[in-house]
Amino acid sequence: MFSLHALSVRLVETPTLVQAPPSAATRITHHPFTSMLQAKWNQEVEYLFAGFGSWDRRAQEWGRRLFYGRDTPVDEQKPQS
């Protein structure tokens, strides 16, 4: 069994250089072309989803005009008394 003094001496005298693999931050390699390609891909996917959203809104408006015969949205119609 180790004494408290022996453990504290061992702790203090331990070399600071530890044989360990490099940290994750130093192992990250930056690839500018890949980053640019991923950014462009994400931008195109964003444009695609925005386009589908606008198509959906236009289809809703077209359906409202087809069914109700005017340009006012259904939410703004006043009930007739």
Side-chain angles (χ1 to χ4, degrees):
M1 189 150 264
F2 292 103
S3 70
L4 184 58
H5 174 70
L7 290 173
S8 65
V9 168
R10 183 176 169 200
L11 180 65
V12 170
E13 293 178 357
T14 303
T16 57
L17 180 63
V18 177
Q19 297 298 331
S23 69
T26 59
R27 289 182 282 162
I28 295 174
T29 57
H30 296 283
H31 303 286
F33 179 73
T34 304
S35 298
M36 187 264 314
L37 193 63
Q38 287 175 342
K40 186 66 176 169
W41 174 263
N42 288 339
Q43 182 182 21
E44 293 299 323
V45 169
E46 178 185 353
Y47 290 158
L48 184 67
F49 275 91
F52 281 129
S54 71
W55 281 356
D56 182 52
R57 284 187 295 278
R58 286 190 299 181
Q60 287 176 2
E61 289 300 319
W62 176 79
R64 286 183 182 130
R65 283 193 304 272
L66 181 68
F67 287 123
Y68 299 109
R70 54 185 169 265
D71 290 333
T72 51
V74 175
D75 299 337
E76 295 178 10
Q77 291 181 0
K78 296 180 182 177
Q80 297 177 356
S81 303

